[in-house]
Amino acid sequence: MKITSSTLLLLSSAFGAAGAFSTTSCRATSSAGCSSTSLNAEPSTRRSWLTSSSSILLGSAIAATASNPQAAFAKTVTNAASLDPDLPNDAIKSYLQYRYSLQLAADYYIFDLQNMVADTDEYGLVTELVRSSNARGGQGQPSRIERDYVNPMRIMGLSLPPEYADDVRDTQFAFERAMSKLNKATQGIKRDLSVEIDKNAVPNAKAAWEEGRVALNSFFAILNTATGLKDELKLIPPSGPNQVAEYGRSIRRYNEFMKKTKLCQNRGGPALSQAWGQLMVSGYLQDSCGVEPMDQYFFQ
């Protein structure tokens, strides 16, 4: 493993402190292994002992980090130069444009939507996810499912080489079918609406979520293969007690990211909310609201 010069400097300081601590211990215990010079030296003060101890702990932590780089370093940062050079420029541009938002969409799918499909009180919100707001002149807003999932799939399918494009299109259609089933399973069920709930509503909603998970994973796998960036986009593991651990992304950071984003949108009102995408790209939200930068959130 490559250790940076700053890490080496810290290790050197820590080892020096360890030597000082060893000498101090010799004075206190007069052990046989200590030199006469150490025994005749001036006793160390409490402050110097504490300083030495802290340095030793720091050195130990750094050494542990060096032996286990995953404990300290995020996923390797990639850029356009990291992608397969045979990819068309449009594909490279589209991938770099959508990869952050796609991974965030996957985080939402596992951390939020999965819980929502298991709770009939949330079915009103689930239905809203797949419903577009229509307006005259074709100025309606796309649904969240369309905006965050289907549209990036469509754009990537158009920009990738033919050997990948057809597979991407297949995953797009499969995902759309799954979301249609999810809409059908949850439609008409709301928290405060007194209606009889079909006993199959929750199982059908969960099955639709699972079908969508498989399609989304297939899409991510295609992108990882096409770009040559193995496992850059994290696939969603199947439901189970170890799902979050296997996913490998932090639910705490996700919740914090979404919380601060929501607060920032509310502070700016509807106009700011509608301009969300552009603000994320410009970095305004990070500077003004303390939202974690998208690249930092992505490479975790």
Side-chain angles (χ1 to χ4, degrees):
M1 170 191 169
K2 182 179 180 181
I3 303 178
T4 62
S5 58
S6 59
T7 302
L8 288 172
L9 180 60
L10 286 170
L11 283 170
S12 177
S13 301
F15 292 150
F21 177 73
S22 177
T23 303
T24 304
S25 299
C26 287
R27 295 192 191 103
T29 61
S30 299
S31 61
C34 297
S35 66
S36 59
T37 303
S38 298
L39 290 170
N40 294 329
E42 182 179 351
S44 175
T45 64
R46 173 180 171 82
R47 178 177 298 176
S48 64
W49 185 89
L50 290 172
T51 301
S52 300
S53 300
S54 300
S55 298
I56 293 167
L57 292 173
L58 175 62
S60 299
I62 294 171
T65 295
S67 64
N68 183 19
Q70 291 182 348
F73 298 106
K75 188 166 58 175
T76 302
V77 177
T78 58
N79 52 34
S82 310
L83 275 66
D84 188 331
D86 293 332
L87 275 181
N89 289 335
D90 285 347
I92 294 175
K93 181 179 179 180
S94 296
Y95 176 76
L96 295 177
Q97 177 182 352
Y98 284 106
R99 62 177 177 170
Y100 294 169
S101 58
L102 280 170
Q103 192 65 71
L104 180 60
D107 291 348
Y108 175 82
Y109 201 88
I110 181 176
F111 294 141
D112 279 341
L113 185 57
Q114 181 174 210
N115 294 326
M116 293 166 68
V117 300
D119 184 359
T120 55
D121 284 345
E122 301 292 336
Y123 280 12
L125 296 176
V126 174
T127 301
E128 291 296 324
L129 293 175
V130 297
R131 180 183 298 168
S132 302
S133 60
N134 297 319
R136 293 181 179 178
Q139 298 301 314
Q141 295 293 325
S143 69
R144 180 168 185 170
I145 294 297
E146 175 74 21
R147 182 191 69 220
D148 293 352
Y149 301 90
V150 176
N151 192 53
M153 289 179 174
R154 184 180 297 117
I155 292 175
M156 289 306 307
L158 293 173
S159 61
L160 286 170
E163 61 266 31
Y164 300 111
D166 290 341
D167 291 336
V168 168
R169 195 172 298 110
D170 290 341
T171 62
Q172 175 197 327
F173 294 156
F175 185 81
E176 289 182 289
R177 285 193 298 269
M179 294 303 98
S180 178
K181 292 178 182 179
L182 180 60
N183 181 49
K184 183 178 180 180
T186 60
Q187 199 167 29
I189 305 174
K190 294 184 179 180
R191 184 193 302 269
D192 299 321
L193 187 61
S194 181
V195 296
E196 184 178 354
I197 300 176
D198 188 331
K199 64 179 182 180
N200 293 320
V202 172
N204 288 343
K206 288 184 175 181
W209 181 91
E210 172 63 16
E211 191 175 319
R213 180 191 72 85
V214 172
L216 188 61
N217 281 353
S218 296
F219 174 58
F220 279 13
I222 294 169
L223 291 185
N224 286 339
T225 300
T227 59
L229 302 177
K230 183 180 179 181
D231 297 330
E232 172 155 283
L233 293 175
K234 294 297 183 182
L235 277 60
I236 302 173
S239 300
N242 299 321
Q243 183 189 47
V244 173
E246 292 173 3
Y247 186 47
R249 291 179 59 79
S250 170
I251 187 172
R252 179 192 60 80
R253 288 175 69 173
Y254 168 76
N255 288 333
E256 186 70 13
F257 184 90
M258 298 304 290
K259 177 183 177 181
K260 289 185 176 181
T261 297
K262 189 66 176 177
L263 289 173
C264 190
Q265 289 176 301
N266 291 341
R267 185 191 306 170
L272 182 59
S273 297
Q274 292 178 7
W276 158 248
Q278 181 58 38
L279 291 169
M280 285 300 298
V281 173
S282 67
Y284 174 86
L285 291 180
Q286 287 75 24
D287 296 338
S288 303
C289 304
V291 178
E292 184 177 8
M294 279 297 287
D295 56 346
Q296 183 174 309
Y297 178 79
F298 178 76
F299 292 109
Q300 60 174 277

